[in-house]
């Protein structure tokens, strides 16, 4: 089996904190060769190539696609670029890992899925939340009736000032002066496509595909300050989506500037005989495969859950973005062994439809029926 030869597109925060360090570890070399990096920001691709000993650096995405030493790419560019770049990569015969979100519309997602099939390439779409042992256990418990008849659930995420304060944005050289403004602009900006997407992958992975959505949404914080400059924000940042799972089971998902009523990006589930709130079943800590290892993390169980993801051996524990690495390795396994990825493009497409339809419902005032499934 030859190693899968990777190009990383976008050498920004997630690439530098997670993708490039993980993929350049010695223990993955029999399965992955990090062969190229691409970024148009002056000096960034060259600097990343030098730091991580990557043979090819490009400022032009088309040049990377023409590189026949690259079999697969990880798209670590702003979300609004993923559809066009993913399409070009598929047409060039490359396998693609999408950092979340894969696209911003269901139509785009469906087009990419069909194109990948006809071009015989594999897609993996982050976030692979159902790779997490606690989510698998929550699904099993709910299906086994551990909390009685499920009635409702809640999940979501808030932006805070997370992206303005990320470590690779506050320096003065090409690797550390990365502007986060795209996170606040359409298309692809806002907490829904960036953060709530984790919560929705968990929610739908546990409860199955949803049927309908309705929502209220708008821009609550029209300007943000980054390094002394005001950034205009036009992507909705304050959204509450109501989701109908059928059989009168409902959920609420939020993508907001601040605040949370759930833990981390995880959901809380309420039934006639009990509840699962974050990582607790009826107030007691959940047990799931690896939970003892997770508990041994100095920062607690949520942080420790990163350690027990598939593929994250002890050598990878101290590198950030373990889940992104785990998802990339699913692409490697899909290509090398034909094993379908848990982080499937079909699941991502359904979550993208919930977000897109939620925004449409908010604008129109009309409940939206969902068409996708996974
Ligand atoms: N930042 C995080 O914590 C985080 C975590 C997990 C996943 N992600 C996802 O990773 C992706 C990237 O996020 P980020 O925070 O690293 O963004 P970022 O803004 O830090 O970096 C994006 C990089 O893409 C480059 N870029 C712009 N246009 C390009 C082009 N045409 N071709 C190649 N590169 C181009 C930019 O110059 C920049 O270096 C997003 O999908 C995001 O949702 C981010």
């Amino acid at each position: 089996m030859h190693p899968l030869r990777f190009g990383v597109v976008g050498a920004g925060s997630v690439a530098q904190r997670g993708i490039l360090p993980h993929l350049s570890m010695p223990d993955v070399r029999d399965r992955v060769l990090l062969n190229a990096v691409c970024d148009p920001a002056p000096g960034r691709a060259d600097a990343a190539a030098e730091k991580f000993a990557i043979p090819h650096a490009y400022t032009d995405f088309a040049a990377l696609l023409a590189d026949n030493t690259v079999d697969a790419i990880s798209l670590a560019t702003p979300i609004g670029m993923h559809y066009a770049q993913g399409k070009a990569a598929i047409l060039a015969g490359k396998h693609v890992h999408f950092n979340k979100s894969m696209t911003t519309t269901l139509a785009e997602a469906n087009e990419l899925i069909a194109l990948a099939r006809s071009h015989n390439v594999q897609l993996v779409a982050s976030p692979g939340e159902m790779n997490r042992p606690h989510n698998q256990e929550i699904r099993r418990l709910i299906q086994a009736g551990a909390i009685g008849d499920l009635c409702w659930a809640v999940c979501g995420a808030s932006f805070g000032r997370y992206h303005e304060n990320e470590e690779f944005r506050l320096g003065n050289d090409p690797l550390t002066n990365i502007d986060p403004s795209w996170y606040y602009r359409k298309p692809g900006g806002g907490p829904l496509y960036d953060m709530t997407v984790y919560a929705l992958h968990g929610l739908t992975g546990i409860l199955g595909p949803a049927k309908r959505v309705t929502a209220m949404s708008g821009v609550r914080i029209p300007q943000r300050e980054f390094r002394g400059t005001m950034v205009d924000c036009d992507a909705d940042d304050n959204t509450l989506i109501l989701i109908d799972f059928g059989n009168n089971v409902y959920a609420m998902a939020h993508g907001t500037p601040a605040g949370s009523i759930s833990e981390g990006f995880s959901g809380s589930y309420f039934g006639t005989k009990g509840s699962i709130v974050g990582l607790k079943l009826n107030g007691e800590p959940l047990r799931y495969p690896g939970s003892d290892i997770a508990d041994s993390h100095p920062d607690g169980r949520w942080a420790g859950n990163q350690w027990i993801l598939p593929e994250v051996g002890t050598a990878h524990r101290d590198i950030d973005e373990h889940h992104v690495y785990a998802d990339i390795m699913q692409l490697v396994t899909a290509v090398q062994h034909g094993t379908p990825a848990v982080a499937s493009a079909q699941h991502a497409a359904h979550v993208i439809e919930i977000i897109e339809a939620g925004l449409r419902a908010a604008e129109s005032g009309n409940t939206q029926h969902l068409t996708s499934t996974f």
Side-chain angles (χ1 to χ4, degrees):
M1 189 68 69
H2 295 295
L4 194 64
R5 299 170 303 173
F6 256 86
V8 173
V9 184
S13 174
V14 76
Q16 291 194 61
R17 288 186 299 107
I19 299 171
L20 298 171
H22 281 294
L23 295 187
S24 49
M25 289 289 284
D27 67 327
V28 295
R29 276 193 201 131
D30 57 335
R31 289 191 290 163
V32 173
L33 275 184
L34 185 51
N35 261 1
V37 61
C38 169
D39 199 302
R44 191 167 295 160
D46 280 337
E50 194 184 330
K51 182 170 177 185
F52 293 98
I54 304 167
H56 305 283
Y58 298 102
T59 51
D60 177 21
F61 179 53
L64 178 135
L65 292 183
D67 183 338
N68 59 16
T69 73
V70 172
D71 308 311
I73 64 165
S74 177
L75 271 181
T77 50
I79 291 167
M81 296 180 182
H82 290 179
Y83 161 67
Q85 291 182 324
K87 183 172 175 179
I90 294 167
L91 292 173
K94 313 289 186 196
H95 308 286
V96 186
H97 164 248
F98 291 90
N99 284 280
K100 43 82 194 174
S101 288
M102 178 171 68
T103 62
T104 59
T105 71
L106 175 65
E108 292 169 349
N110 284 341
E111 186 187 342
L112 295 187
I113 291 168
L115 261 185
R117 207 169 286 135
S118 62
H119 285 71
N120 204 21
V121 296
Q122 300 283 341
L123 305 183
V124 165
S126 284
E129 288 299 284
M130 292 314 293
N131 268 323
R132 294 185 181 278
H134 75 272
N135 279 337
Q136 292 166 11
E137 177 62 4
I138 291 170
R139 177 172 58 194
R140 190 193 70 72
L141 284 168
I142 291 174
Q143 286 175 357
I147 58 169
D149 294 325
L150 178 72
C151 300
W152 68 288
V154 61
C155 66
S158 291
F159 251 172
R161 288 184 56 80
Y162 173 80
H163 290 298
E164 292 98 310
N165 293 331
E166 280 184 274
E167 67 175 291
F168 286 95
R169 307 199 188 280
L170 303 172
N172 291 311
D173 60 90
L175 287 182
T176 64
N177 65 359
I178 302 159
D179 187 338
S181 303
W182 69 266
Y183 273 111
Y184 314 113
R185 298 199 178 124
K186 293 178 186 172
L192 291 175
Y193 287 110
D194 177 43
M195 292 183 176
T196 309
V197 64
Y198 289 99
L200 289 170
H201 269 261
L203 182 77
T204 52
I206 288 164
L207 300 186
K211 312 271 188 234
R212 298 187 303 162
V213 298
T214 192
M216 291 198 179
S217 186
V219 178
R220 182 70 188 92
I221 311 291
Q223 281 200 319
R224 282 173 179 257
E225 188 254 324
F226 175 65
R227 301 186 77 162
T229 302
M230 297 314 287
V231 177
D232 290 329
C233 310
D234 68 357
D236 282 13
D237 66 0
N238 200 26
T239 307
L240 302 181
I241 307 179
L242 280 177
I243 307 169
D244 177 2
F245 281 90
N247 212 14
N248 301 325
V249 172
Y250 308 121
M252 195 271 279
H254 69 95
T256 42
S260 183
I261 50 173
S262 46
E263 283 183 34
F265 293 146
S266 204
S268 294
Y269 300 84
F270 303 98
T272 52
K273 291 185 180 159
S275 65
I276 296 169
V277 174
L279 297 176
K280 293 204 171 108
L281 170 63
N282 296 328
E284 294 298 321
L286 268 179
R287 292 271 136 229
Y288 45 89
S291 55
D292 48 339
I293 298 172
D295 286 338
S296 72
H297 193 291
D299 295 332
R301 191 178 254 215
W302 282 107
N305 277 345
Q306 301 284 4
W307 284 358
I308 60 172
L309 279 161
E311 304 284 353
V312 179
T314 45
H316 289 257
R317 282 188 177 176
D318 292 337
I319 304 173
D320 267 0
E321 303 293 343
H322 309 76
H323 61 290
V324 173
Y325 169 62
D327 290 348
I328 290 174
M329 295 313 283
Q330 285 190 60
L331 179 64
V332 176
T333 306
V335 173
Q336 293 181 339
H337 302 288
T339 315
V342 171
S344 72
Q346 282 78 8
H347 191 178
H350 183 66
V351 168
I352 288 161
E353 186 184 19
I354 292 176
I355 295 172
E356 182 193 10
L359 294 172
R360 203 166 51 235
E363 205 172 314
S364 65
N366 295 322
T367 298
Q368 305 287 307
H369 289 261
L370 304 176
T371 58
S372 63
T373 187
F374 63 96

